[in-house]
Amino acid sequence: MAVDREKFQKLLKEKGLKMTRQRLVVLEVLAENPEQHLTAEDIYERVKVENPDIGLATVYRTVQLLLELELIDRINLDDGFIRYEIGSLDEEEHHRYHHLICLRCGKVSAFQDDMLEALETGVKQALGFQVVDHEVKLYGYCKDCLEKEHK
Amino acid sequence: MAVDREKFQKLLKEKGLKMTRQRLVVLEVLAENPEQHLTAEDIYERVKVENPDIGLATVYRTVQLLLELELIDRINLDDGFIRYEIGSLDEEEHHRYHHLICLRCGKVSAFQDDMLEALETGVKQALGFQVVDHEVKLYGYCKDCLEKEHK
DNA sequence: ATGCTTGCAAAAGGTTTGCATGTAG
DNA sequence: CTACATGCAAACCTTTTGCAAGCAT
């Protein structure tokens, strides 16, 4: 997935910010690794390959920026790291991704489901709470680990 | 909600652990504050009232232990603190609690819904992933904040 | 030129750990 | 008595921040 530089620059300009090599490279790494749940350190390692001078602090500052621009999503798997992934380009699908976390091997996979929309409507009517985003994590055992266990 | 000391001691004994004043007090604080989402520091402050000598490290060690015994649940609201609350005594209700997080005032409330059971069955059939626990967080604006905004 | 950005290193802040002492069983 | 548990302080580790130097516009 390629980064649209013009669109990126336009988004930055709207906030009085500048397009830099570092920001572009961080965004590109995330765009090239969709659904990969990268930590700041992961991004740093990959960015350094073609950009050895970049600092880890810049990666942290950039992911914060990309979050504010809503270009990426934040994922917290409760393992002490905050992870990031490129947001879905399709607005309709953007909030329908959930995560499956294997308690044995730690593998994380995503699946899509829109059943929560009904739940959100119900919460609004019953409690007056207006939902704008959600996060669903399902913990359990993945197919591979289940099969290994049965041997 | 009172703590069943005999049951607690039995659980500890099964793992070769001892029942101490500190462990009991931490569990009691959590039992007396259901659905309160206490941080380790919160627990520490409340425990210190009647037990000034306890150390913060003991609180951390104890919540880890209580998690392993499945007496309490862990909640991560992405605010830099890990929070804890007593688990539902009713096994059937144990995994049906979800959280509503207000993006304006930060208030957290819980609601109950079992619609995820159907989702979990579907995930098992479609992907072979066996779900044993889940966490659902809905972000949005609570009734109070919505009303204030409309004035 | 102006002022946003960066890199470095230091700081921050919640959580964990080492170790000598205390205590439950 | 023995092994597990505690308290204290230091260590950890991810993330944030201060500041002088570096760029984008």
Side-chain angles (χ1 to χ4, degrees):
Chain A
M1 183 156 49
V3 171
D4 182 339
R5 298 190 186 198
E6 284 186 21
K7 186 180 168 190
F8 186 31
Q9 182 149 30
K10 190 182 156 207
L11 279 171
L12 289 167
K13 195 170 237 171
E14 283 172 5
K15 299 211 171 194
L17 303 174
K18 293 171 179 171
M19 167 126 106
T20 65
R21 179 173 42 81
Q22 290 90 332
R23 285 175 179 166
L24 195 53
V25 173
V26 168
L27 180 57
E28 278 172 351
V29 162
L30 285 160
E32 286 161 8
N33 294 278
E35 291 292 325
Q36 284 295 298
H37 320 100
L38 303 177
T39 65
E41 199 78 35
D42 291 336
I43 298 168
Y44 180 54
E45 291 303 325
R46 294 176 197 228
V47 161
K48 266 206 301 194
V49 174
E50 300 195 11
N51 226 300
D53 288 343
I54 199 169
L56 180 55
T58 299
V59 173
Y60 276 103
R61 282 186 283 233
T62 303
V63 288
Q64 301 242 63
L65 176 64
L66 296 177
L67 280 171
E68 284 163 25
L69 297 177
E70 293 184 51
L71 292 172
I72 63 175
D73 293 323
R74 167 201 295 245
I75 303 156
N76 192 331
L77 303 178
D78 298 327
D79 61 352
F81 298 83
I82 301 173
R83 292 157 188 282
Y84 306 90
E85 70 178 26
I86 194 101
S88 166
L89 294 178
D90 182 344
E91 267 301 313
E92 286 299 306
E93 292 187 0
H94 191 88
H95 296 303
R96 292 187 190 173
Y97 278 103
H98 313 312
H99 291 97
L100 300 171
I101 303 162
C102 181
L103 295 169
R104 180 156 297 123
C105 67
K107 190 173 63 187
V108 178
S109 43
F111 70 99
Q112 219 181 327
D113 192 291
D114 60 359
M115 75 183 299
L116 258 67
E117 282 169 29
L119 179 61
E120 293 178 3
T121 314
V123 165
K124 172 73 182 184
Q125 287 174 354
L127 306 170
F129 190 100
Q130 171 114 43
V131 175
V132 300
D133 195 10
H134 62 236
E135 180 180 310
V136 177
K137 292 186 281 194
L138 301 183
Y139 298 93
Y141 300 101
C142 71
K143 199 175 179 179
D144 292 348
C145 286
L146 285 175
E147 283 171 1
K148 277 178 197 157
E149 192 179 13
H150 288 149
K151 283 175 186 168
Chain B
M1 184 156 48
V3 171
D4 183 339
R5 298 189 186 199
E6 285 186 20
K7 187 180 167 191
F8 186 32
Q9 183 150 30
K10 190 182 157 209
L11 279 171
L12 289 167
K13 195 171 237 170
E14 283 171 5
K15 299 212 169 193
L17 304 174
K18 293 171 181 173
M19 166 128 106
T20 65
R21 180 174 40 83
Q22 290 90 333
R23 285 175 179 168
L24 195 53
V25 174
V26 168
L27 180 56
E28 277 172 351
V29 162
L30 285 159
E32 286 161 9
N33 295 279
E35 290 293 326
Q36 285 294 300
H37 321 99
L38 302 177
T39 65
E41 199 78 37
D42 291 337
I43 297 168
Y44 180 53
E45 291 302 324
R46 294 175 198 227
V47 162
K48 265 207 301 194
V49 173
E50 300 194 9
N51 228 301
D53 288 345
I54 199 170
L56 180 55
T58 299
V59 173
Y60 275 103
R61 282 186 282 233
T62 304
V63 289
Q64 301 243 62
L65 176 64
L66 297 177
L67 280 171
E68 284 163 25
L69 297 178
E70 293 185 52
L71 292 172
I72 64 176
D73 292 325
R74 168 201 294 243
I75 303 156
N76 192 330
L77 303 177
D78 296 327
D79 60 352
F81 298 83
I82 300 174
R83 293 158 188 280
Y84 306 91
E85 70 177 26
I86 194 98
S88 168
L89 294 178
D90 182 346
E91 268 300 314
E92 287 299 306
E93 293 187 357
H94 191 89
H95 296 304
R96 294 188 189 173
Y97 278 102
H98 313 313
H99 291 97
L100 300 171
I101 303 163
C102 181
L103 295 169
R104 180 155 297 124
C105 68
K107 191 172 64 189
V108 178
S109 43
F111 71 99
Q112 219 180 329
D113 192 290
D114 60 358
M115 75 182 301
L116 258 67
E117 282 170 28
L119 179 61
E120 293 179 3
T121 314
V123 166
K124 172 73 183 182
Q125 288 174 353
L127 306 169
F129 189 99
Q130 169 113 45
V131 175
V132 300
D133 194 11
H134 62 235
E135 180 181 311
V136 177
K137 293 187 280 194
L138 302 183
Y139 298 93
Y141 301 101
C142 72
K143 199 176 179 180
D144 293 347
C145 286
L146 285 175
E147 284 171 0
K148 276 179 198 156
E149 193 178 12
H150 289 149
K151 284 174 187 169

